[in-house]
């Protein structure tokens, strides 16, 4: 059984020159702190976007957990969903978290569950579970919304 946790970064400021540099704002920091406190699972690894707001989300979320982290451009806002799914199917971990961006994470959740119900809010987490990571092969186990 594979557990996949998808977490969108916290709310971020728009007052920067590039999308890459957008930091979490005060509300985003509070959102991630709250999500971190209610999330009780310990994934084997976290795959995180290199964008600043995702990195800050990771720092807050992982502060007391110390989960192994891998940075990847495959979970950035402009990433290709097919490449991400191919990447995930090659993983050996049975429990994996992705900290990234919308619309990618919502598209991924919708594709993997075969439903059109997800629009992840900032600092939201969805827990998907299935025998394999493939289109329509996973089910929603739990949602954590801010």
């Amino acid at each position: 059984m594979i557990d996949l946790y998808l977490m969108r970064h916290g709310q971020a400021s728009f007052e920067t020159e590039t999308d890459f540099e957008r930091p979490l704002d005060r509300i985003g920091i509070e959102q991630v702190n709250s999500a971190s406190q209610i999330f009780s699972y310990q994934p084997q690894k976290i795959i995180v976007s290199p964008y600043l707001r995702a990195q800050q989300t990771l720092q807050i979320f992982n502060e007391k957990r110390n989960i192994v982290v891998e940075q990847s451009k495959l979970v950035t806002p402009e990433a290709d969903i097919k490449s991400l799914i191919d990447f995930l199917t090659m993983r050996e971990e049975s429990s994996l978290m992705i900290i990234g961006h919308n619309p990618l994470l919502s598209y991924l959740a919708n594709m993997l569950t075969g439903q059109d119900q997800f629009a992840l809010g900032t600092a939201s987490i969805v827990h998907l579970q299935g025998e394999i990571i493939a289109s329509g092969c996973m089910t929603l186990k739990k949602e954590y919304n801010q």
Side-chain angles (χ1 to χ4, degrees):
M1 189 65 61
I2 299 168
D3 290 293
L4 182 62
Y5 306 95
L6 307 177
M7 181 177 193
R8 184 177 174 200
H9 61 78
Q11 182 176 298
S13 169
F14 285 96
E15 297 177 16
T16 62
E17 292 195 23
T18 68
D19 190 38
F20 185 86
E21 299 169 322
R22 290 180 51 213
L24 294 180
D25 62 18
R26 181 188 52 77
I27 292 170
I29 291 168
E30 291 172 8
Q31 289 173 328
V32 176
N33 274 318
S34 176
S36 178
Q37 291 173 12
I38 63 171
F39 185 80
S40 60
Y41 298 96
Q42 183 81 7
Q44 291 172 292
K45 186 174 272 188
I46 297 174
I47 308 295
V48 64
S49 163
Y51 281 48
L52 179 58
R53 59 194 179 275
Q55 292 290 317
Q56 290 174 319
T57 298
L58 167 71
Q59 288 174 331
I60 296 166
F61 182 84
N62 202 27
E63 183 177 14
K64 295 179 182 166
R65 290 181 171 84
N66 296 315
I67 300 168
V68 174
V69 175
E70 180 180 328
Q71 186 171 289
S72 177
K73 291 180 181 178
L74 291 173
V75 294
T76 60
E78 68 279 351
D80 175 64
I81 195 161
K82 183 182 178 333
S83 297
L84 176 56
I85 291 173
D86 290 346
F87 170 76
L88 292 174
T89 60
M90 302 301 289
R91 306 300 302 198
E92 293 184 11
E93 297 88 2
S94 61
S95 177
L96 191 62
M97 175 175 251
I98 297 173
I99 297 178
H101 311 268
N102 258 356
L104 181 71
L105 293 182
S106 292
Y107 291 160
L108 181 62
N110 288 327
M111 184 175 284
L112 293 178
T113 61
Q115 300 178 26
D116 192 20
Q117 68 180 16
F118 299 103
L120 275 72
T122 51
S124 294
I125 304 170
V126 294
H127 175 186
L128 305 179
Q129 193 173 64
E131 294 296 323
I132 60 170
I133 297 176
S135 186
C137 292
M138 299 193 90
T139 59
L140 174 66
K141 295 303 287 182
K142 192 166 185 173
E143 277 186 86
Y144 302 85
N145 294 306
Q146 297 305 304

